[in-house]
Structures are given as C-alpha cells and as structure tokens.
Amino acid sequence: MNKPVLEFNKVTFNYRQNQDPILDRIDLHIQEGELVSIIGPSGSGKSTIFRLITGLEQPSEGDILVNGENSINRLGTVGYMPQQDLLMPWRTVLENAVLPLEIKGMKKEEAKVRVKELLEDFGLKGQENALPSNLSGGMRQRVSFLRTILSGSNILLLDEPFSALDAITRLSMQEWLIQQWIKWKKTILFITHDVDEALFLSDRIFVLQQKPITIIQEVTIPLGRPRTIRDISNPEIVSLKEQLIDQLRTKVSI
C-alpha cells in the first residue's frame, strides 16, 4: 500500500481570532501517486486548503504533515500551479521554465540544458525563444506545468489550471495532464469547479460543503486506468455526476 504524503490531522483554521472557523477539526489523507480533485461551491474553502498546504497559512489547531514531516515552514515543499500562469512577459519560454532551477542555485546554462531536454515532452519544442504573448493558452499552461514539475516536489497543487481555456483545448490539456502524471509519478491535488473534469481525472474526489467544514466527503471514482473521456459516459459515472451536481446545488446560496 502506498504511504501517505499529505495529511491533515484534526486541522482547524480561521483567518481572524473570534471568527467562526473555515475548517473545524478536519482530517484529510492523500496517498503517494494519487490524483485527487477538490470540488465545492465558491467560498467553500478550497483555496484555503491549498494555502495551508503550501505554508502561506498555518492551522489554528491540528497538524499538517507533508511527506511524513510536521513542519511549520512548508514553503517550497510542494509544487504549486495557480489558475493564472504567472509567466514573466519579458522572459522567453526557456527563460520562464528555468526559473525554479535558478532559484535553487543551478547555474543558468546548466538549467537551460536541463529544460531543453524536456521541451518536446511538454509540446514546446521549437517555442523556446517565444514570448508568452505569442503562445496559445494551452501552451502557456504547459510552460507553467513544466515550471511546477521543476520545483522538484513529489506533490503538485493545481488550482483550476484549465478554467480559462476553451472546451476543446481544456479537454486536450486534461488528457495531456494524465499522461504527464503517469510519466512523472507525482501526487496531484487538483481544484476544479467542473464535475466532468474531476470525474475524468481523479482517483478520488473531495467534496467540500459550506463553511465551517467539519468533514470532507470522499468519493472514489469507479473507473480503472488507462481511461478515455468516453468513459465518463458510463451509466455508473453519469449517475455519480448527477448525485454530485445535486449535492453541490443544495449548498449554493443564491
């Protein structure tokens, strides 16, 4: 059985003292090599969980373990890919991609050699000298994901990375992400508002209710791997999708 690489043990969090907690003594465990999605209404605490994992916030109570270690200083221990690609507009694809290696202290020329070896796998061969403004949305996200991979962490947090893409590009990026996940053998925690996306990508889905979150519902996806987008038309998956949508709908205040 794979070992847990990310654990929340009785974690409580609020942004200000004397304020109702957003998370209230929650437990969460993710195993090595899993791809887990988080879904929930806007404002339900999805991004708060990411901020706690990355170390940008600290729990009011409880423990957060990354790779078995309970450390207050978690900054830099996980790879993070935000919704916006945050590419530096004045840097080329190659110069953007080498940034995490430069931050680690690798010599610039050595970093460029390392990145050039990966460009073809990431669909970026021939684009190394292009500026972000000349790239499609899908290519920009590939650069962003390459940068996240080069952080060196075994845990990657992806915060709605495909939400700004058109439907066809988004589907292509989902299929591409699964290929990269299998190849790199990373553990991925993926925030999305798209139930189809969560069902297609995930081993498990964490469903967040409205605050305060006292328990995280876990849904195991009854699909094997490899899988294709057609698999989410399976009657069992369609039924599960309807259940999830109905459940999320009841939690949204209009």
Side-chain angles (χ1 to χ4, degrees):
M1 184 175 179
N2 288 345
K3 62 183 180 182
V5 294
L6 180 62
E7 303 170 76
F8 278 35
N9 296 325
K10 306 300 179 190
V11 168
T12 296
F13 175 78
N14 54 5
Y15 281 103
R16 288 183 289 276
Q17 286 187 339
N18 303 319
Q19 183 185 54
D20 290 338
I22 296 172
L23 312 177
D24 189 1
R25 295 179 60 79
I26 69 162
D27 293 314
L28 176 156
H29 300 88
I30 297 177
Q31 306 299 316
E32 183 177 39
E34 277 194 295
L35 201 166
V36 177
S37 290
I38 302 179
I39 62 175
S42 295
S44 61
K46 300 184 296 295
S47 294
T48 297
I49 288 175
F50 268 23
R51 290 179 67 83
L52 286 163
I53 296 169
T54 58
L56 292 172
E57 303 289 351
Q58 298 298 334
S60 309
E61 297 177 16
D63 300 312
I64 297 174
L65 280 67
V66 177
N67 293 315
E69 294 187 6
N70 184 5
S71 173
I72 293 176
N73 183 17
R74 294 184 298 282
L75 290 171
T77 59
V78 299
Y80 175 58
M81 180 177 171
Q83 184 174 349
Q84 302 298 324
D85 57 65
L86 301 183
L87 300 181
M88 296 179 179
W90 60 89
R91 280 189 166 221
T92 64
V93 165
L94 183 59
E95 290 167 340
N96 266 289
V98 299
L99 189 59
L101 299 178
E102 289 180 344
I103 290 172
K104 289 181 187 177
M106 185 180 290
K107 291 181 179 178
K108 195 167 186 177
E109 291 309 311
E110 183 182 351
K112 285 183 176 180
V113 170
R114 167 79 174 123
V115 169
K116 283 179 179 178
E117 293 171 349
L118 299 173
L119 290 178
E120 186 167 2
D121 281 347
F122 282 76
L124 296 166
K125 190 171 179 61
Q127 300 294 328
E128 48 264 59
N129 296 317
L131 292 172
S133 58
N134 295 323
L135 299 178
S136 67
M139 281 191 172
R140 290 175 68 103
Q141 291 302 76
R142 288 170 189 257
V143 179
S144 183
F145 187 70
L146 172 55
R147 209 162 55 175
T148 306
I149 286 282
L150 291 170
S151 69
S153 175
N154 63 322
I155 304 169
L156 307 182
L157 308 181
L158 310 186
D159 190 353
E160 298 194 73
F162 307 145
S163 61
L165 303 177
D166 65 82
I168 299 301
T169 303
R170 183 169 185 159
L171 174 58
S172 296
M173 290 300 295
Q174 290 167 3
E175 294 173 329
W176 178 82
L177 175 64
I178 289 179
Q179 293 170 4
Q180 298 305 313
W181 168 65
I182 293 170
K183 177 174 181 174
W184 290 89
K185 297 179 171 60
K186 300 288 186 178
T187 302
I188 292 179
L189 189 56
F190 189 101
I191 287 179
T192 180
H193 280 92
D194 188 323
V195 174
D196 280 336
E197 184 169 66
L199 289 167
F200 176 50
L201 292 176
S202 311
D203 297 311
R204 289 186 293 154
I205 297 174
F206 291 161
V207 185
L208 302 189
Q209 312 301 319
Q210 285 183 319
K211 301 189 291 277
I213 300 167
T214 57
I215 189 169
I216 295 179
Q217 179 190 352
E218 297 183 15
V219 177
T220 300
I221 309 305
L223 286 175
R225 296 190 188 273
R227 64 181 66 158
T228 70
I229 195 63
R230 292 182 178 84
D231 290 325
I232 64 172
S233 300
N234 178 306
E236 187 176 5
I237 301 302
V238 171
S239 176
L240 180 55
K241 173 184 174 180
E242 290 172 353
Q243 291 173 34
L244 288 170
I245 290 174
D246 287 345
Q247 185 175 344
L248 293 172
R249 239 183 225 154
T250 63
K251 302 302 177 182
V252 176
S253 300
I254 299 177

